[in-house]
Amino acid sequence: MMSDDKMIDQSYPTAAATPVTIPMGTADRVVNTRVSNDADKSFLLGILSFFCCPICIGPYAIHLGVRAKKEIKENPNEVTGECKANSGIATASIAMILSVVFTIIFIVNFMKAYSEAEAEAAAMNGN
């Protein structure tokens, strides 16, 4: 009779049983990759632009994101972070658009309230 240990070993081969082959000459070509600093900055500034000064911070975040994407395209094996760069560009763009839209809404409502107040004052004076 077989013991339980041998039965388990025979029915479930271990990972060491399957050899891994590495192509010749690839071990010395290991390249260290890094995330682009500009992509990190673009991502952080894009998020920050939602909370303060989107008109000032947004364009800089977009500039850094575009610069990071260019750096990644030039060195694809050494530099990563394209998703962060894209996210920085997108968040900064959305924050800038929302800022402009809310500014226009504020101005329209302010002008409407001012004209109503002016009309009310003229009615009180009898004009």
Side-chain angles (χ1 to χ4, degrees):
M1 285 193 111
M2 297 178 82
S3 69
D4 288 336
D5 293 335
K6 289 184 180 181
M7 184 181 287
I8 291 174
D9 287 342
Q10 290 175 352
S11 60
Y12 299 107
T14 61
T18 55
V20 177
T21 57
I22 299 174
M24 296 275 302
T26 57
D28 59 344
R29 290 188 290 160
V30 173
V31 178
N32 291 328
T33 60
R34 63 177 176 81
V35 177
S36 172
N37 290 332
D38 290 338
D40 282 336
K41 291 176 190 175
S42 173
F43 181 67
L44 292 174
L45 289 175
I47 292 173
L48 182 65
S49 69
F50 266 106
F51 301 106
C52 63
C53 289
I55 299 300
C56 299
I57 297 173
Y60 188 60
I62 292 171
H63 168 72
L64 288 174
V66 170
R67 197 165 76 176
K69 287 177 69 170
K70 182 179 176 185
E71 180 185 10
I72 292 165
K73 189 176 182 179
E74 290 174 357
N75 304 315
N77 294 331
E78 297 174 10
V79 184
T80 61
E82 189 170 3
C83 289
K84 281 188 174 183
N86 289 336
S87 299
I89 292 169
T91 54
S93 299
I94 292 169
M96 288 172 50
I97 290 169
L98 288 176
S99 173
V100 169
V101 167
F102 287 140
T103 301
I104 291 170
I105 290 171
F106 175 78
I107 290 171
V108 167
N109 285 332
F110 180 77
M111 295 299 286
K112 182 179 176 185
Y114 180 76
S115 65
E116 288 174 359
E118 193 174 73
E120 186 179 320
M124 291 180 99
N125 289 335
N127 290 335

